[in-house]
Amino acid sequence: ICLSINRDDTEDHPAATEQFINAFRAMAVTLDKRFEVATPLITLRKHEVVLVGKDLGVNFSKTYSCLVGGERHCGACAQCLARKRAFRLADLTEPAGFYEG
């Protein structure tokens, strides 16, 4: 399993901390030695993840962050606000019409 947890997540959500993830890894390995949990972005801030995505040519119009679960991003939930902030800090513009309203 590859989790997209970033450094900002580890500060905001107890279940995203390295301590929690390591405890989960230890538990999972007792169930199946082949089980692996990867967190390749855990040391990066959200805006740094956005910059990596830019460098990799990610089509950000195809990504999804909203907690509401609608067809388009609500633009107001905690994840949408964090995403907007990350793009602002990365000095990047989000795709036109990305958010409702």
Side-chain angles (χ1 to χ4, degrees):
I1 296 175
C2 188
L3 303 175
S4 62
I5 295 169
N6 62 66
R7 185 171 164 196
D8 295 334
D9 294 331
T10 67
E11 295 170 356
D12 294 338
H13 310 289
T17 63
E18 287 194 66
Q19 181 181 7
F20 182 91
I21 298 298
N22 288 336
F24 183 84
R25 280 184 180 117
M27 180 271 312
V29 167
T30 63
L31 298 174
D32 188 331
K33 300 257 186 262
R34 299 170 297 167
F35 194 84
E36 182 181 343
V37 177
T39 54
L41 307 174
I42 202 162
T43 61
L44 302 177
R45 294 278 183 198
K46 193 170 191 78
H47 74 279
E48 294 171 319
V49 173
V50 169
L51 290 170
V52 169
K54 176 187 170 260
D55 290 345
L56 293 173
V58 169
N59 179 349
F60 289 110
S61 69
K62 303 286 185 190
T63 61
Y64 197 84
S65 300
C66 187
L67 295 173
V68 175
E71 191 171 317
R72 290 179 38 212
H73 285 72
C74 74
C77 72
Q79 283 298 100
C80 282
L81 295 176
R83 180 188 173 106
K84 286 179 178 182
R85 181 176 186 272
F87 272 80
R88 192 172 52 253
L89 289 172
D91 199 27
L92 294 175
T93 305
E94 292 200 72
F98 195 73
Y99 297 99
E100 290 182 9

